[in-house]
Amino acid sequence: MRNRYLIWMLLLLAGMLRTQAQTGGRFVYNFLNLSYSSRMMALGGNLISVRDDNPSLLLMNPSYISERHHNTLALNYTDYFMHTSAMSAVYSHTFPKAGSFAVGVQALAYGSFNGADETGIETGKFNAGDYALVIGWGRELSPHFSIGANLKTVFSHYGPYFSSGLAVDVAGSYFNDDKNLSLTLLAKNVGLQLCSYAPGNREMLPFDLQFAFSQRLKHVPIRYHITLHSLYRWNMNHYGYDNPFMEIDAISGELQYPSKFAQIADNFFRHIVFGIEIEPSKYFSFQLAYNHNIHQEMKVLSRKSMAGFSYGFQLNIKGIRFGFSRLHYAVGATPNCIDLAFNFDELAKNSKERKARKLERVTADGQ
């Protein structure tokens, strides 16, 4: 009964904040949708559902915050475009009675700019950036089901303009260790803008509803990932004169709309991200994914490109995890993502074992 109350409380909070967020216009704080994990970026840049000890995934999937992440730290850096860079840090700790928590920060720094007034007179340099403080909580309700939530306090400044907001991610996961299967449903960035850049102009947060599942094949060291995003809306495309990919009839000047089947198929696959993870050993894995929506939005008609493709690898050796990935947005726009994670309990255990082995060798040599 207590677990049922917890689920209803999370859903009620999400519904209240989502209702208030509808009063705005355009989306703000889109930096919350970025991947702050090399593994996530390598698998398409959206939610992934994996139940393991990787703490870098907790900023996206709070339902997997648990004891297996106790005393772990993950650091991430991504060089996006020009002087823009994204950074994050998350630490997880489990308390005997209160449960498992994660505390993290997310930041997107845009660099410095030359300011000018409406007449063109320079006013000096200014900086711009977006930041979020994240507090997450997770709980396992049964051997197969867990829930969690991330509360995010958001701050944004562009020179003299400032804004703040409040958002929450609510997630529930199902996992089956016998079948190596994991599923997650996530309501992301449910919230509201507390202080707008301009008075009286409150804007919406980039809400999303995502579903992800993965399964490791029984006799092959491969895990496949499928993620469904933007589930709250169907139409992911737009057709009109402002679409540079629309063909125009040379005689009539009318737009040549794709067939109904082509439109439905394109919209359907825009919602899906396909990925595979090759895991030849517990120390190394390689990821590869394709995001059809990114490919369609960023492709160039005059040449072929790898827009929408992403790849990366993970190394996990003695309590230290290193990850690297790349996601192709467009020609010349391929950010590199690096993260480093530490399991301090495992590092301390390995240190004690090394000291014990050294003591044994010294004792043996003395005899």
Side-chain angles (χ1 to χ4, degrees):
M1 183 64 69
R2 184 181 178 184
N3 294 337
R4 191 174 301 173
Y5 285 142
L6 286 172
I7 296 174
W8 279 110
M9 288 174 63
L10 290 174
L11 293 176
L12 179 61
L13 175 62
M16 291 172 61
L17 292 176
R18 175 61 178 161
T19 300
Q20 296 182 53
Q22 297 299 321
T23 60
R26 298 172 298 174
F27 291 137
V28 292
Y29 314 142
N30 283 292
F31 78 103
L32 297 174
N33 284 331
L34 297 179
S35 298
Y36 293 91
S37 166
S38 64
R39 191 176 181 186
M40 287 175 51
M41 177 175 283
L43 290 169
N46 284 283
L47 171 71
I48 62 173
S49 183
V50 179
R51 188 193 185 202
D52 60 17
D53 59 352
N54 190 341
S56 67
L57 306 179
L58 303 183
L59 290 175
M60 172 66 80
N61 190 349
S63 63
Y64 276 150
I65 300 175
S66 65
E67 293 182 4
R68 65 179 56 86
H69 304 107
H70 173 69
N71 204 18
T72 58
L73 172 69
L75 306 173
N76 175 270
Y77 175 80
T78 305
D79 63 332
Y80 275 97
F81 317 117
M82 299 297 290
H83 302 292
T84 302
S85 57
M87 295 156 283
S88 73
V90 58
Y91 174 78
S92 182
H93 192 93
T94 297
F95 299 92
K97 295 183 179 180
S100 300
F101 291 84
V103 179
V105 292
Q106 297 173 320
L108 184 64
Y110 302 100
S112 61
F113 302 86
N114 294 320
D117 60 18
E118 61 273 11
T119 63
I121 298 177
E122 294 189 359
T123 58
K125 291 185 176 294
F126 68 92
N127 295 319
D130 296 313
Y131 313 92
L133 173 63
V134 185
I135 300 177
W137 167 85
R139 182 186 181 94
E140 291 189 357
L141 303 180
S142 72
H144 298 290
F145 187 69
S146 65
I147 60 172
N150 279 338
L151 178 64
K152 298 182 281 191
T153 305
V154 186
F155 304 95
S156 176
H157 77 91
Y158 304 123
Y161 301 99
F162 173 81
S163 175
S164 63
L166 187 68
V168 64
D169 298 341
V170 181
S173 292
Y174 168 83
F175 40 88
N176 190 319
D177 292 333
D178 294 333
K179 298 182 179 180
N180 294 317
L181 177 68
S182 178
L183 302 89
T184 297
L185 179 64
L186 170 71
K188 181 180 178 182
N189 299 327
V190 183
L192 69 162
Q193 190 178 34
L194 300 176
C195 175
S196 58
Y197 299 103
N201 186 26
R202 184 173 293 182
E203 300 168 285
M204 293 175 58
L205 272 65
F207 170 79
D208 199 6
L209 185 63
Q210 300 184 3
F211 176 74
F213 62 93
S214 70
Q215 185 175 32
R216 194 179 192 278
L217 302 181
K218 191 173 182 179
H219 301 292
V220 183
I222 293 177
R223 176 185 294 274
Y224 68 86
H225 296 261
I226 298 178
T227 300
L228 310 177
H229 62 91
S230 305
L231 295 178
Y232 67 99
R233 64 187 178 115
W234 163 248
N235 189 15
M236 296 284 290
N237 202 349
H238 64 277
Y239 299 98
Y241 285 97
D242 57 344
N243 186 341
F245 303 127
M246 287 291 295
E247 296 183 3
I248 301 177
D249 187 270
I251 299 177
S252 65
E254 297 292 331
L255 292 174
Q256 300 295 307
Y257 288 93
S259 66
K260 288 293 183 180
F261 177 80
Q263 294 182 36
I264 293 174
D266 181 54
N267 260 315
F268 176 77
F269 285 106
R270 279 175 177 260
H271 288 271
I272 305 176
V273 180
F274 300 95
I276 61 170
E277 194 166 16
I278 304 173
E279 304 170 314
S281 74
K282 64 179 182 179
Y283 304 108
F284 174 79
S285 64
F286 176 78
Q287 301 84 31
L288 176 67
Y290 173 68
N291 189 320
H292 185 66
N293 186 55
I294 293 179
H295 177 77
Q296 291 295 87
E297 294 292 329
M298 305 300 293
K299 67 181 180 181
V300 179
L301 291 181
S302 59
R303 58 182 298 181
K304 294 182 179 181
S305 72
M306 291 185 64
F309 286 92
S310 56
Y311 46 86
F313 67 88
Q314 298 278 312
L315 292 174
N316 186 16
I317 303 175
K318 295 184 178 180
I320 299 177
R321 183 187 294 268
F322 174 79
F324 173 81
S325 65
R326 305 189 79 194
L327 196 160
H328 290 258
Y329 284 99
V331 178
T334 307
N336 301 297
C337 182
I338 298 174
D339 54 34
L340 197 61
F342 305 91
N343 187 321
F344 295 112
D345 287 347
E346 188 173 347
L347 289 173
K349 179 181 177 182
N350 293 333
S351 178
K352 290 180 180 179
E353 291 177 351
R354 286 194 299 269
K355 290 180 179 179
R357 288 194 296 268
K358 182 177 181 181
L359 181 60
E360 290 178 357
R361 289 195 298 268
V362 171
T363 303
D365 293 340
Q367 294 176 351

